[in-house]
Amino acid sequence: MQQQTLLTLIVLLPLVGALLNAFMLRRTSIAVICTIATASVVVPFVFSLLLFFNFIIPGNTIQVDLFNWISVPLVDGKDFNVSFGFTADRLSGIFLLVITGVGSLIHLYSGEYMHHEKRPYRFFVYLNLFIFSMLSLVLGSNMLVTFLGWEGVGVCSYLLIGYWYEDKDNSMAAIKAFVANRVGDAGFLIAIFLCYMLFKTINYAELSAIIAASPQTFLADNSTEITIIGLCILLGVAGKSAQIPLYTWLPDAMAGPTPVSALIHAATMVTSGIYLMSRVSYLLVLSPAVMTTIAIIGAVTAIFSATIGFAQTDIKKVLAYSTCSQLGYMVLACGVGAFQFGVAHVVTHAFFKACLFLGAGSVIHAMHHEQDIRKMGGLFKKMPITATTFLLATLAIIGFPGFSGFFSKDAILAAAWAGPFGNPIFWLVGWITAGFTSFYMLRLTWLVFFGQSRAEHPEHIHETNIVITLPLILLAILSVVGGVIAIPEVFTGKVDFITNFLSPVLGQAQATLNANGLHGLHLSHSMEYSLMGASVLIVFVAAIFAILVYKNGPNGGEKFASALGPIYRLVRDKWRVDELYAFIFIRPLARVGKVLYSFFDKIIIEGVVNGIPETLYTGTSVASDSQSGMARNYLKFIFISVFIFGLILFL
């Protein structure tokens, strides 16, 4: 099979699965629906493996142009043409494997988790459409196709988060996610417009070639426009990848089914911002102001979200704020110029965060939908497979030596210290965040799986079946070994795999940095070992402290909370950011909306719209009433009309 055909099938098969379940198989059993939906992702995963090892690893770029999407003749003679096409290279190839691979496991898991639903076809249709949109996003050959996928995952996330729409909280969470993402999407859309205005193209390959060929004087003269483009892209990233100030939608998205949380938070939607920044890295590095802003946003989001994870009691909310924090790490990596390590953390995060969310779903399933960690405890004996896989994923996320998160996180911290735009302050923030992560994740794991059981009916709790535990086992294995892609040179004597592999895609950005005297990561072996040692030390200290505090269950946590006093209450209330946004934005806008509705809508718009038919109705009613069918009335009207007409002529 030709590589172009394989690439087209990879994108279209999830869409075919969605259409089959939506229109042909909706009345069949959940087994049939789940099989079709899962096969629609598993087959693209197999095709992605074929593409990756046979075409992408040798260094080929695969291009498919399906049709000419938009063609607009312009006055200057150069028509605006946009083709609907896909491009697969080493960067998109990595995302292909993550999206289809982890997505396949989540689909398999969902078949058991959602078996009680009355209309399961709707859930799997949304899942397949989500995968189709995400594949369109990472494979789009130009910004407009990427934006189509960008909007598609936004709509599908709205549908999935609000899947149980009968519950008001779920509906409000879906609306919140939709609105927050639209704010970010506006920034990305403006960036697309400005890119075309400045460079006369939105095709990635053409844009890269134009920037590479542009003289320094042109880039310097348009530095303001380039900075604005970069900041608009960052706004789009803040929406999709849940960065400050648009991060608040992500924790509320926990209202959706647990497989949705794993799909959105682990391997797909939230990582799209990292993909976009890596894809246009050659553009972002032209503006030091943009890169520094990206690094600051990532660092602040990482530590800010980590603090909130300290005090949450909902098992999924803890993991949600963990996702925001880990995404901050990825954005920080891009901001300091280490795009490849941001991508590496995307991969490792996909493994351990999907494992954690699916493990949380297994616990919730066994606990009959209980999500409060204060009512759990002692589940290791009851659910050994879930507990073991959850523990392995926890060790990966905190950066325990040898696990996947250790290598990708420490690569980011090293880049934060000595990268092209690195600064020791960025390293310090990332280092403290690593300690916070270790504390709240060990707190979560200990309260759920160790100590005495606090469940109402512990005798009813048992391990979930193989359909749920098999994805957990596979993801746990990947959480342990996945960091091989980022093993540093200090251990092997060779450049790490991810840097070498992505050099053809990120090479132009690095060349620009080198031309400006901003060279890549350069650390002595002793310094690199020192940074690693400091990271390992704070992880171990925070983990031991968490176990000491919570060894007696939530009671120890209450003592810890009372010692912190109002600070702990503020953290428990998520720093009251939602209340602040409500005070500054939501309530004033609601008041303005009410005034506009009362005056502009009701009086002007409805007055005109309703006034015209009411006037016509009144006129036709009068005319209709005059037609009585009585001859004497008609003679009366004729006489009066002739009299009035004659009087007018006489006068």
Side-chain angles (χ1 to χ4, degrees), residues 231-479:
L231 293 176
C232 287
I233 289 174
L234 176 58
L235 180 60
V237 171
K240 276 290 182 290
S241 294
Q243 299 296 288
I244 287 175
L246 300 177
Y247 75 97
T248 56
W249 69 269
L250 192 64
D252 287 5
M254 295 298 95
T258 299
V260 173
S261 304
L263 189 67
I264 293 176
H265 294 181
T268 53
M269 177 175 167
V270 294
T271 62
S272 56
I274 314 304
Y275 168 80
L276 179 63
M277 287 192 293
S278 301
R279 176 58 69 192
V280 296
S281 57
Y282 49 78
L283 176 61
L284 297 178
V285 296
L286 295 175
S287 173
V290 169
M291 296 296 289
T292 302
T293 305
I294 292 172
I296 292 172
I297 292 293
V300 173
T301 302
I303 194 168
F304 185 79
S305 301
T307 61
I308 301 176
F310 271 61
Q312 300 306 304
T313 56
D314 186 312
I315 186 172
K316 290 172 66 178
K317 282 289 180 69
V318 177
L319 297 177
Y321 283 106
S322 167
T323 298
C324 292
S325 182
Q326 296 301 309
L327 287 166
Y329 267 121
M330 301 173 205
V331 173
L332 172 62
C334 295
V336 298
F339 295 94
Q340 72 275 23
F341 296 137
V343 174
H345 205 56
V346 165
V347 177
T348 59
H349 178 265
F351 299 148
F352 56 68
K353 187 51 63 69
C355 185
L356 288 169
F357 266 115
L358 296 184
S362 179
V363 170
I364 294 168
H365 194 69
M367 293 285 294
H368 305 288
H369 303 287
E370 178 60 67
Q371 296 185 201
D372 192 335
I373 60 177
R374 295 170 297 183
K375 299 179 181 179
M376 298 178 185
L379 294 184
F380 202 107
K381 296 178 182 178
K382 300 283 187 178
M383 309 176 69
I385 298 177
T386 298
T388 301
T389 55
F390 197 95
L391 179 60
L392 292 174
T394 298
L395 294 175
I397 193 175
I398 68 174
F400 192 87
F403 285 69
S404 62
F406 170 78
F407 296 109
S408 59
K409 182 200 68 177
D410 273 44
I412 293 173
L413 291 178
W417 179 278
F421 296 96
N423 189 297
I425 295 177
F426 293 148
W427 176 87
L428 180 62
V429 172
W431 180 73
I432 296 173
T433 302
F436 286 173
T437 304
S438 180
F439 179 86
Y440 68 71
M441 285 306 302
L442 263 296
R443 165 185 176 264
L444 171 66
T445 305
W446 187 271
L447 289 178
V448 173
F449 295 105
F450 298 94
Q452 298 297 318
S453 176
R454 298 176 297 277
E456 292 185 5
H457 300 286
E459 66 277 4
H460 295 159
I461 301 173
H462 56 83
E463 184 64 89
T464 46
N465 65 33
I466 188 65
V467 178
I468 289 181
T469 55
L470 179 60
L472 293 178
I473 294 170
L474 295 175
L475 289 168
I477 294 171
L478 292 171
S479 299

Side-chain angles (χ1 to χ4, degrees), residues 11 80 334 342 374 436 447 481 551 563 600 614:
V11 181
F80 175 64
C334 295
R374 295 170 297 183
F436 286 173
L447 289 178
V481 304
K551 65 180 180 180
F600 194 75
E614 286 178 1

Side-chain angles (χ1 to χ4, degrees), residues 15 137 148 361 382 404 433 452 494 532 621 643:
L15 177 61
L137 189 157
L148 183 67
K382 300 283 187 178
S404 62
T433 302
Q452 298 297 318
K494 299 179 181 179
M532 285 186 186
S621 296
F643 176 78

Side-chain angles (χ1 to χ4, degrees), residues 406-407 410 488 490-491 527-537:
F406 170 78
F407 296 109
D410 273 44
V490 70
F491 288 156
M527 188 61 187
E528 194 162 357
Y529 281 127
S530 298
L531 293 178
M532 285 186 186
S535 176
V536 171
L537 177 63

Side-chain angles (χ1 to χ4, degrees), residues 446-447 451-452 546-553 556:
W446 187 271
L447 289 178
Q452 298 297 318
I547 293 173
L548 290 176
V549 170
Y550 291 96
K551 65 180 180 180
N552 295 322

